[in-house]
Amino acid sequence: MSRLVIVSNRVARPESLSKGAQGGLAVGVLAAMAEAGGLWFGWNGRIENRPVSEIRQERRKNIDFVTIGLRQNEYNNFYRGYANSVLWPLFHQRPDLMNYRHHFRMGYLGVNRKYVDHLLPYLKEDDTIWIHDYQLIPMARMLREAGVKSPIGFFLHTPFPPLDLLRALPDHHDLLLEMLHYDLLGFHTLTDERGFHESIRYTLKGDISPSGLIDCMGHQTQTGVYPIGIETDEMPQLVKSGQRSQEYRQLKKELADRKLLIGVDRLDYSKGIFHRFKAYEQLLKNHNELHRQIVYMQVAPTSRGDVNAYGQLAQQIDQAAGHVNGTYADFDWTPLRYLNRGFRRNTVLALYNLSHVGFVTPLRDGMNLVAKEFVAAQDADDPGVLVLSKMAGAAAELDSAVIVNPYDTEAVAQSLADAIEMPLDERIDRWKQMMTVLERNNIHAWQKNFRADLIARPHDLSKS
Ligand code: F6P
């Protein structure tokens, strides 16, 4: 099999994963890389001052990590700007939070060009190239222009917006065209794939076959649905090691007989944390009998704190958490524990195992691996209940969760009450059904299916 070359904006080392500092993309890509081996290229996460970027290569087991830095203006226009102040809010259906600037687009193209220029010397003829996420959409066009003939695939880890929203992006025409330079485009859900098809049909007048093969402006691009999964096999071991952590043991002792509800998210407006706090407040208002019987712990480490919308969110969440505790806390009970920090991955998994309810209610999410990991971290004989937003990609697969609309505060509150009281046999039934899906669509299936489809594509026939 040809060598796998993965490009993602951030490159994650195995040790940073265990510290819990990364999102779902990093966990998924690292698992894929660990299995297949190859080269992983991307940003080292640092801002550098030197005029010429230092490139570092480091080999760990079967993976070559190749990383570069970003200059301050590149970081501002590419990362804070076009990627996270334009594409991210738009793709998560928040055009009101978009801050569009022409120089952001220039910065985005500039950094994509820089990644291509630095990657080229490392490429071999028979590589298979797999680019990840919204930060790097133009890379295939640029690689083709540089003469690269290898198969090039792209996976979008976020949702893809419906046409009516996409049209709010001044460059949406160029963005769609850039996506057509890939041989294979992967989405988490059918909704995302259909949204893309609709935009191609309407905006670029492309033809799309029932199997998802697009014929448009001289390009032939296959699309497909590949829901990212998790490594289910490693969970029991990780949970066990997390149970030895000081945080786990302390919390278990403090909880005594109280039931734990847990939420774990990057502090991002797409995660619906504010709405979640409101629903929890409603639960406490409606259910006096649950006072002192439950504790909700929300773990939300700061993310993209220097992007405006995120700074405002942090204040809003602080206030909402204070309001819940100000209204309901007593000297011997803190109903909401909001922790604006991260924990080691195995500790988080052990906390899932300790919880009675996984409270996962994003307003919009590509997949949401917290939902999947929560389920996989449960004990078969006494599993917790997943309360999951219908707006998360995971809801398409995990339909045995308690599915909620995160905008319906009263219904979410009632679903929480139902989850807290759910009888054991129903909890076991739901959990078994979800585990069957998770074991079938695991992380290995995700990477194998995508790579097999990419390699099977006749590539570079129509591309420049
Ligand atoms: O999955 C979405 C994503 O933007 C990934 O691309 C990224 O690795 C993760 O979230 C964390 O975001 P950031 O790299 O901006 O901290």
Side-chain angles (χ1 to χ4, degrees), residues 10 25 79 84 88 133-135 157 266 304:
R10 272 187 211 272
L25 181 153
Y79 179 80
N84 291 316
W88 180 270
D133 234 357
Y134 61 100
Q135 300 96 340
H157 290 259
R266 286 186 302 105
R304 305 173 191 163

Side-chain angles (χ1 to χ4, degrees), residues 306-325:
D306 53 2
V307 174
N308 281 348
Y310 289 76
Q312 287 161 16
L313 174 79
Q315 282 181 12
Q316 189 193 35
I317 300 290
D318 279 351
Q319 277 175 11
H323 185 71
V324 173
N325 285 330

Side-chain angles (χ1 to χ4, degrees), residues 27 230-231 234-235 239 345 348-349 352 368-378 438:
V27 178
I230 58 169
E231 173 74 275
E234 69 175 17
M235 284 298 151
V239 167
R345 183 164 143 73
V348 170
L349 294 169
Y352 293 160
N368 197 302
L369 291 184
V370 169
K372 293 190 168 183
E373 293 196 334
F374 174 83
V375 173
Q378 300 305 307
L438 294 185

Side-chain angles (χ1 to χ4, degrees), residues 84-96:
N84 291 316
S85 298
V86 178
L87 294 183
W88 180 270
L90 180 72
F91 283 16
H92 289 83
Q93 307 197 357
R94 291 297 304 270
D96 56 310

Side-chain angles (χ1 to χ4, degrees), residues 8-12 21-27 40 43 79 83-84 88 92 132-135 156-159 188 266 268 271 302-304 307 310 365-367:
S8 62
N9 183 46
R10 272 187 211 272
V11 167
Q22 310 286 335
L25 181 153
V27 178
W40 189 355
W43 179 35
Y79 179 80
N84 291 316
W88 180 270
H92 289 83
H132 289 260
D133 234 357
Y134 61 100
Q135 300 96 340
L156 184 67
H157 290 259
T158 68
H188 279 308
R266 286 186 302 105
D268 192 301
K271 304 293 182 185
T302 299
S303 170
R304 305 173 191 163
V307 174
Y310 289 76
D365 215 334
M367 172 53 69

